[in-house]
Amino acid sequence: MAECVESELSLWDPERDLVALPGAPGRSHRLGGRVLAGFEEVRERIVAERLVKVGKPSSGRSRDPFPTLPAVTVLDASAEPLLRQRVRTVVECLERLVRRYPCDAELQEFLDVPPVLRRWILRHVEPEELRVDFCRLDLLGESLGSVRVLEFNPSSPGGVISSGMLHRFWRESSFGDVLARWGVPEAPMERPEWFADWLIDYGRERGVRDEDALRVGVFHSRLSTKFELDQVDAQLVRRGRAPVELYPDDVEGAKALRLGYLKYIPVDAGEVRRWETFCSRMVAADLVVPNALGERWVAENKLCLAALSDPRFRRLFTPRQCAALDALVPFGRKLGDGLSEAEAVADREHLVLKAPYGCRGETVTVGAQTPADAWASLVRDPAYRGWLLQEHVVASAVETRDGTYFRDLLVPVLNGRVIGYASRMNRGHLLNGSRGGAAPAVFAPHELCDTTALPPAGSGSASPTGPA
């Protein structure tokens, strides 16, 4: 497909992009009323199923319902297979960084993983076997030609579980017959126990006997919100397992556990000094946990996005992989090692600054929204040397009576396979769930399998948009 066509090919099917907020085009669409009716039913299901919103860690458990919008969108039938192929290939490239890290001195120096984490990465016996078991890519952009990946998020299943439930509620609402007539297939993440099934199978494939997987550790931070844990626990319970919530430094509590999931990476790497037994058991495979330490603490590092963009590391990838990187990864450089302070000051309006292990958008500074003198002080401060400088990518926007809503596209990848799509919409540019906003429903137009035929070059959208 030619570049000029890709730049014009929207990610969203224009006939099935039904954002029914006041003043938005979907409100006046012939199906707008159906969206609003289904929305009320979906909200009732959210309350009944106790699906709660993302809370800030300091606020404790949120009691507010998971925020959603009267919005149903289907991805463009021509754009989605190409996007999915590129997403899978870029995750392959991330895996390549994970596997190369233990033996590549230049990559080790560039990523600058804190020593307290690096020591465990280097203790993996077979780093060439490491893989990104689960991750969620956060993308911004309006068209196939403009969309870019900003985050990989290899440890956060909560948002994907919640989005899968939301999509299932829409499918089971009165709007479900429209989705059926559109031929919108079920995505794997919509299945009620997909995460528990995957985790149990992951342990079984690595030698954890069924009787040893009746209790499953859910390892989390002292600041983790219940949003991130409740639905994981609920899925495990429905599969006859007893979830055990505990901290990684709880040696006694974890002693009898053989299978678990590590929810987070500590913002303060020094916390890992208290995880000696936990990390030793993971490296020895006595405690089986997906996204092993050698994967997690490399792939979570946002400087991987700079490595995937920086020409110095193209030596690690095939021509096919480089083509996907060129298409999907935005310009990114390491401050002071790839982009100088002077260059960062001069190009402020086109750059975003991020901490290598930041989360929840708390360490993100958008140059275009920062006064020039404040930005200059920031990038010249030695404390920020080594942070990621990333191209400022323009988000997809929807105009409403209340102003512009921005939206992203989330793509969860499990064992190398895209398992669905999701999105967040907000009136602010930071679309992290903890920063407010709400979720529309985003459906794939095809079965999410590796054999989906790619559209021929230059083809346009071919969506089933008959009467509903």
Side-chain angles (χ1 to χ4, degrees):
M1 184 175 293
E3 182 178 353
C4 61
V5 175
E6 287 197 5
S7 67
E8 298 169 1
L9 183 56
S10 174
L11 294 176
W12 328 97
D13 182 335
E15 294 299 321
R16 299 186 288 178
D17 186 16
L18 304 179
V19 179
L21 290 166
R27 187 79 167 209
S28 57
H29 191 278
R30 60 187 176 82
L31 292 174
R34 296 290 305 276
V35 173
L36 293 174
F39 175 62
E40 293 304 320
E41 298 168 39
V42 167
R43 288 205 295 186
E44 291 176 2
R45 287 289 302 278
I46 286 172
V47 173
E49 299 279 350
R50 298 179 182 176
L51 187 59
V52 299
K53 70 178 293 186
V54 180
K56 292 185 177 180
S58 59
S59 64
R61 177 173 181 170
S62 170
R63 297 185 181 276
D64 297 327
F66 183 75
T68 186
L69 294 171
V72 178
T73 295
V74 180
L75 295 182
D76 183 89
S78 294
E80 188 276 330
L82 286 162
L83 176 67
R84 184 173 6 132
Q85 180 189 62
R86 289 171 182 172
V87 163
R88 294 179 62 245
T89 303
V90 168
V91 173
E92 286 178 12
C93 295
L94 181 64
E95 286 185 335
R96 182 67 172 160
L97 295 182
V98 168
R99 292 169 178 168
R100 288 287 302 179
Y101 178 86
C103 62
D104 193 313
E106 185 180 23
L107 185 59
Q108 289 182 24
E109 180 179 1
F110 185 83
L111 295 182
D112 196 23
V113 176
V116 69
L117 307 182
R118 186 171 64 244
R119 65 181 286 244
W120 293 109
I121 297 171
L122 298 180
R123 284 182 59 177
H124 277 278
V125 178
E126 298 179 317
E128 67 278 2
E129 299 297 323
L130 290 169
R131 67 172 301 167
V132 178
D133 298 310
F134 170 82
C135 65
R136 188 202 74 212
L137 284 71
D138 297 357
L139 289 80
L140 286 184
E142 177 64 36
S143 68
L144 183 64
S146 67
V147 69
R148 299 291 183 268
V149 56
L150 305 186
E151 305 271 356
F152 283 112
N153 299 300
S155 65
S156 301
V160 180
I161 292 173
S162 297
S163 294
M165 293 174 67
L166 173 67
H167 292 179
R168 189 169 72 252
F169 298 163
W170 273 103
R171 195 179 294 280
E172 294 170 356
S173 76
S174 59
F175 194 79
D177 67 316
V178 178
L179 296 173
R181 279 194 283 271
W182 283 347
V184 175
E186 179 190 60
M189 73 175 195
E190 295 178 39
R191 297 167 190 165
E193 284 82 38
W194 71 266
F195 183 83
D197 289 342
W198 167 67
L199 182 57
I200 293 165
D201 286 344
Y202 184 93
R204 186 178 294 125
E205 291 166 2
R206 287 155 182 79
V208 180
R209 298 177 303 175
D210 286 348
E211 57 265 35
D212 292 330
L214 294 177
R215 298 171 71 246
V216 180
V218 181
F219 296 92
H220 63 95
S221 161
R222 286 169 171 79
L223 295 178
S224 289
T225 61
K226 289 297 288 180
F227 159 84
E228 300 169 303
L229 306 175
D230 282 353
Q231 298 303 331
V232 169
D233 291 353
Q235 287 199 16
L236 289 168
V237 168
R238 291 197 297 270
R239 284 295 186 242
R241 314 298 163 131
V244 182
E245 292 186 12
L246 70 174
Y247 309 130
D249 59 3
D250 185 348
V251 176
E252 289 301 314
K255 186 176 292 184
L257 297 175
R258 289 278 288 116
L259 178 65
Y261 191 83
L262 176 60
K263 165 58 194 73
Y264 79 116
I265 184 167
V267 175
D268 176 10
E271 182 181 337
V272 177
R273 294 189 180 93
R274 302 194 299 271
W275 296 11
E276 188 77 18
T277 300
F278 176 78
C279 293
S280 295
R281 290 190 65 201
M282 276 191 67
V283 169
D286 177 54
L287 176 62
V288 174
V289 177
N291 283 2
L293 301 179
E295 178 278 329
R296 181 182 300 268
W297 289 336
V298 174
E300 285 272 12
N301 190 326
K302 291 180 175 58
L303 288 174
C304 282
L305 283 154
L308 294 175
S309 171
D310 195 308
R312 285 177 288 178
F313 296 101
R314 287 302 169 95
R315 59 184 170 80
L316 300 176
F317 309 114
T318 67
R320 176 186 64 85
Q321 291 171 332
C322 287
L325 294 175
D326 289 340
L328 201 57
V329 174
F331 173 89
R333 294 293 185 270
K334 183 179 179 180
L335 177 58
D337 181 11
L339 201 69
S340 69
E341 296 168 5
E343 290 171 317
V345 170
D347 211 19
R348 170 182 62 86
E349 294 188 355
H350 302 106
L351 294 173
V352 177
L353 182 67
K354 300 180 178 180
Y357 290 105
C359 61
R360 301 187 185 92
E362 294 172 355
T363 58
V364 175
T365 302
V366 180
Q369 299 171 13
T370 306
D373 56 347
W375 174 264
S377 297
L378 200 67
V379 298
R380 288 172 177 152
D381 186 335
Y384 298 95
R385 187 177 177 85
W387 283 31
L388 170 66
L389 283 165
Q390 190 176 62
E391 171 190 350
H392 183 200
V393 181
V394 178
S396 174
V398 178
E399 298 300 329
T400 77
R401 188 179 65 194
D402 297 324
T404 302
Y405 274 76
F406 301 97
R407 62 178 167 181
D408 62 5
L409 180 64
L410 311 180
V411 190
V413 178
L414 187 73
N415 293 339
R417 177 189 178 190
V418 172
I419 60 169
Y421 295 94
S423 180
R424 299 167 295 193
M425 294 182 68
N426 201 338
R427 293 182 63 187
H429 286 272
L430 286 178
L431 293 165
N432 190 284
S434 64
R435 296 301 184 98
V442 180
F443 294 95
H446 307 288
E447 291 284 350
L448 295 177
C449 60
D450 296 343
T451 58
T452 303
L454 295 177
S459 66
S461 176
S463 304
T465 56

